[in-house]
């Protein structure tokens, strides 16, 4: 009976879309997204808790430590390892399957989160965030797996809308819980929690990760097998005629019959999608220089060479532009996401609103609420305007909205915050799902892990630099009584994203860029 229930649960679908598998998949990103949003409003308070004014060798801002700078560094500590690891986990999921990588990500994220919750020193908190960041690739793997589960434009828009709704709901709950559970007054009289006021919030994320592991083991079905044959897909591979890997390789294998292996054999596809020759005719592992003048590589270096070659050969205007748009979104998001809690928690003398953890969490939560509504409405909007124009609309909403809190917040704080949250939430919600669809549609299904890994790598670079730079610019703007400076950076970033969309190549594909 248990196995029958398990099989029925796994195979449940809605209009041909594997709904239950998608829901199970999204439980893998829930701990990562929830903890991230719980910590966003808490970073300024964590810096104040963990950095002592009497500590040696710290950066000072006047007679106080530069708390804004150290709050930005905490966020950078999380995103720095993702620069390297998102592409590693994304590529690994193409090779060994999505499920093992999702499970490993949950285990690693659980470990890093507990390390953060138990920390009583700044360096230990940064270490915990770095460990979490090193395993924070389940969102990358999940985006690729949704692209596998969805077989057409309609189901992809539906699947990514579900992803966005879970992301938005986790943002609301995370921001709210972060503000509530980060309040030190809750733990008065409990010495362990007084010394570690963020342990409860982190422990909640660890428990969710353990639940996700149990659900994966019992119910989650692998989307493809070791031969890269994707289950549940029919017809020819998406966008095969547009695959950027259809160019000639720098290194070409020698075949015993004088013929050459199909190109896919050097991109990690052991069986190939378009193999017209028998594998017995091929002498594997032997290479000759191609017309490009390359020389043979030692056997122990071939996996690394193939990996970097696969990355290099994916790069074309059709793949680079969506990844660039994703990086621009990540930059604007990281600048505003760092600056808003700093503005909310800073004293009135420093140009801020003087809010506590609860109010700061509520300020961040209002944006998450608007994001959730936008992601629920994404499907009909995308069907009406197309993917690229939905991205442009998002940029146009963000450009003026990020300036509302610093300019009008001192006059009317909450109306300015709510107005900004509505515009920014809707803009970022539509912008994010649009660019994820553009990235997914730019390659064949078998390269989804790699392309989302590359996109995540590029976004992680700006997410690492953005918070640290934002903290410094905020400090400078605060000293100059111009807190709006850092928010102007976010506005300029969104403007560059809008302009960059006009260089997107138009194409017809699974979802077509409807430019």
């Amino acid at each position: 009976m248990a196995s029958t229930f398990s099989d029925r649960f796994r195979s449940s679908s809605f209009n041909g879309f594997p709904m239950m598998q998608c829901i199970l998949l999204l439980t893998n990103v829930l701990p990562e997204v929830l903890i991230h949003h719980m910590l966003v409003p808490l970073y300024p308070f964590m810096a104040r808790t963990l950095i002592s004014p009497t500590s040696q060798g710290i950066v000072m801002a006047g007679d106080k430590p530069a708390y804004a700078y150290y709050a930005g560094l905490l966020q950078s500590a999380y995103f720095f390892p993702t620069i390297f690891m998102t592409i590693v986990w994304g590529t690994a999921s193409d090779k060994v399957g999505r499920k093992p990588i999702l499970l490993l990500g949950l285990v690693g994220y659980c470990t890093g989160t507990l390390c953060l919750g138990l920390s009583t020193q700044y360096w230990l908190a940064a270490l915990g965030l770095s460990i979490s960041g090193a395993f924070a690739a389940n969102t990358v793997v999940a985006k690729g797996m949704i692209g596998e589960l969805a077989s057409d434009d309609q189901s992809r828009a539906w699947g990514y809308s579900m992803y966005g709704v879970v992301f938005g709901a986790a943002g609301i709950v995370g921001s709210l819980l972060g503000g509530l559970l980060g309040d030190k007054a809750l733990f008065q009289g409990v010495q362990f929690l007084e010394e570690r006021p963020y342990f409860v919030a982190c422990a909640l994320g660890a428990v969710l990760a353990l639940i996700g592991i149990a659900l994966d083991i019992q119910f989650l079905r692998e989307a493809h097998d070791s031969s890269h044959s994707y289950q549940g897909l029919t017809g020819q591979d998406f966008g095969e005629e547009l695959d950027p890997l259809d160019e000639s390789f720098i290194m070409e294998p020698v075949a015993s019959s004088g013929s050459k292996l199909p190109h896919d054999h050097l991109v990690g596809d052991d069986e190939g999608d378009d193999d017209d020759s028998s594998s017995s005719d091929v002498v594997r592992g032997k290479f000759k220089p191609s017309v490009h003048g390359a020389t043979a590589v030692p056997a122990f270096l071939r996996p690394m060479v193939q990996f970097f070659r696969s990355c290099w050969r994916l790069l074309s205007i059709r793949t680079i532009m969506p990844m660039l748009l994703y990086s621009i979104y990540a930059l604007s998001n990281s600048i505003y996401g760092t600056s808003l809690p700093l503005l909310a928690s800073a004293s009135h003398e420093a140009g801020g609103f003087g809010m506590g953890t609860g109010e700061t969490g509520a300020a961040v939560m209002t944006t998450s609420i608007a994001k959730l509504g936008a992601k629920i409405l994404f499907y009909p909007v995308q069907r009406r305007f197309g993917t690229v124009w939905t991205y442009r609309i998002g940029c146009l909403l963000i450009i003026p909205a990020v300036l509302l809190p610093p300019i009008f917040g001192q006059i009317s704080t909450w109306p300015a915050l709510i107005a900004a949250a509505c515009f920014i939430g809707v803009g970022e919600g539509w912008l994010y799902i649009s660019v994820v669809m553009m990235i997914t549609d730019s390659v064949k299904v078998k390269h989804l892990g790699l392309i989302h890994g590359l996109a995540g790598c590029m976004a992680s670079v700006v997410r690492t630099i953005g918070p640290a730079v934002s903290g410094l610019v905020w400090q400078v703007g605060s000293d100059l009584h111009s807190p709006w400076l850092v928010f102007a950076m976010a506005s300029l970033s969104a403007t560059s994203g809008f302009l960059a969309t006009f260089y997107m190549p138009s194409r017809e594909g699974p979802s077509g860029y409807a430019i």
Side-chain angles (χ1 to χ4, degrees):
M1 181 68 67
S3 60
T4 302
F5 171 77
S6 177
D7 291 340
R8 290 178 178 176
F9 187 80
R10 288 178 174 183
S11 60
S12 299
S13 63
F14 175 75
N15 290 337
F17 182 74
M19 181 72 70
M20 295 312 303
Q21 283 296 298
C22 187
I23 293 175
L24 286 170
L25 174 63
L26 294 177
T27 62
N28 290 268
V29 306
L30 189 59
E32 184 177 327
V33 177
L34 186 70
I35 288 295
H36 171 69
H37 283 88
M38 288 175 70
L39 293 178
V40 166
L42 297 180
Y43 283 123
F45 302 98
M46 292 178 69
R48 293 188 179 95
T49 300
L50 299 171
I51 297 292
S52 172
T54 59
S55 301
Q56 297 294 323
I58 62 173
V59 178
M60 302 294 289
D63 59 346
K64 297 180 180 179
Y67 292 122
Y69 169 71
Y70 285 107
L73 281 185
L74 284 176
Q75 294 193 59
S76 296
Y78 175 84
F79 285 110
F80 179 71
T82 64
I83 295 175
F84 313 100
M85 297 310 297
T86 51
I87 189 171
V88 171
W89 297 129
T91 305
S93 71
D94 284 338
K95 302 291 184 182
V96 303
R98 314 297 182 197
K99 185 174 179 177
I101 304 303
L102 290 169
L103 287 169
L104 186 59
L106 289 172
V107 172
Y109 206 84
C110 178
T111 302
T113 299
L114 287 177
C115 180
L116 173 64
L118 293 171
S119 62
T120 56
Q121 296 180 332
Y122 184 86
W123 70 269
L124 188 58
L127 176 63
L129 287 166
S130 297
I131 294 173
S132 297
F135 290 92
N138 278 9
T139 53
V140 171
V141 178
K143 284 181 282 191
M145 193 168 177
I146 290 174
E148 292 174 346
L149 295 173
S151 57
D152 54 32
D153 177 29
Q154 181 175 353
S155 58
R156 280 190 176 180
W158 177 253
Y160 285 122
S161 292
M162 287 181 60
Y163 175 91
V165 168
V166 171
F167 208 105
I172 295 172
V173 176
S175 301
L176 179 61
L177 289 178
L180 293 176
L181 298 179
D183 189 354
K184 294 181 180 180
L186 292 176
F187 312 119
Q188 289 182 355
V190 183
Q191 183 177 357
F192 178 83
L193 296 179
E194 284 183 342
E195 296 173 352
R196 301 166 184 84
Y198 311 109
F199 175 77
V200 175
C202 294
L204 176 61
V207 170
L208 289 175
L210 293 175
I211 293 174
I213 291 172
L215 290 175
D216 279 0
I217 294 174
Q218 180 66 27
F219 297 112
L220 187 64
R221 182 170 53 198
E222 184 59 78
H224 65 79
D225 58 27
S226 59
S227 65
H228 298 267
S229 174
Y230 291 87
Q231 302 174 7
L233 297 182
T234 58
Q236 64 180 7
D237 208 359
F238 301 134
E240 188 166 347
E241 73 283 3
L242 297 172
D243 185 14
L245 297 184
D246 284 342
E247 303 170 4
S248 60
F249 270 89
I250 295 177
M251 298 295 296
E252 297 175 344
V254 179
S256 61
S257 63
S259 62
K260 296 173 184 177
L261 277 172
H263 293 158
D264 284 342
H265 283 277
L266 291 181
V267 194
D269 191 351
D270 294 335
E271 305 212 3
D273 292 345
D274 306 308
D275 194 356
D276 295 325
S277 61
S278 172
S279 60
S280 62
D281 293 333
V282 177
V283 181
R284 294 184 182 274
K286 295 183 179 181
F287 293 82
K288 69 176 183 179
S290 71
V291 295
H292 301 287
T295 58
V297 294
F300 72 92
L301 288 178
R302 284 174 194 160
M304 184 179 299
V305 171
Q306 290 179 6
F307 170 73
F308 286 109
R309 184 185 298 149
S310 299
C311 295
W312 175 256
R313 290 172 58 76
L314 273 180
L315 300 180
S316 67
I317 186 65
R318 189 162 44 82
T319 57
I320 290 174
M321 285 307 301
M323 291 192 292
L324 177 62
L325 293 177
Y326 185 47
S327 299
I328 292 173
Y329 157 77
L331 180 61
S332 175
N333 175 262
S334 66
I335 293 174
Y336 185 77
T338 302
S339 305
L340 181 62
L342 292 174
L343 178 69
S345 62
S347 65
H348 292 284
E349 294 76 13
F353 302 152
M355 294 180 174
T357 57
E359 290 179 302
T360 302
V364 175
M365 184 185 68
T366 52
T367 303
S368 299
I369 293 174
K371 280 185 183 180
L372 177 60
K375 290 171 180 177
I376 292 174
L377 296 174
F378 172 80
Y379 179 76
V381 173
Q382 187 271 342
R383 299 292 291 174
R384 172 65 178 85
F385 296 103
T387 305
V388 174
W389 260 109
T390 305
Y391 184 99
R392 290 172 181 163
I393 294 171
C395 291
L396 292 175
L397 291 172
I398 293 171
I399 291 169
V402 292
L403 296 172
L404 294 178
I407 294 178
F408 299 102
Q410 295 293 348
I411 301 173
S412 186
T413 302
W414 278 106
L417 287 173
I418 292 174
C422 292
F423 287 107
I424 294 171
V426 172
E428 288 191 348
W430 289 349
L431 189 153
Y432 176 73
I433 304 180
S434 296
V435 76
V436 169
M437 287 189 65
M438 284 187 266
I439 293 170
T440 300
D441 294 340
S442 67
V443 296
K444 293 166 68 173
V445 175
K446 64 181 177 181
H447 304 303
L448 287 175
L450 178 56
I451 193 64
H452 280 291
L454 283 170
C457 175
M458 293 177 61
S460 295
V461 171
V462 299
R463 287 187 185 277
T464 300
I465 299 172
V469 173
S470 299
L472 287 174
V473 175
W474 163 263
Q475 204 72 60
V476 172
S478 179
D479 293 340
L480 296 175
H481 303 289
S482 302
W484 55 267
L485 281 177
V486 67
F487 292 90
M489 289 174 52
S491 181
L492 289 175
S493 176
T495 302
S496 66
F498 175 79
L499 296 176
T501 59
F502 291 96
Y503 294 91
M504 277 289 297
S506 60
R507 80 180 187 95
E508 297 296 332
S511 70
Y513 288 152
I515 298 180

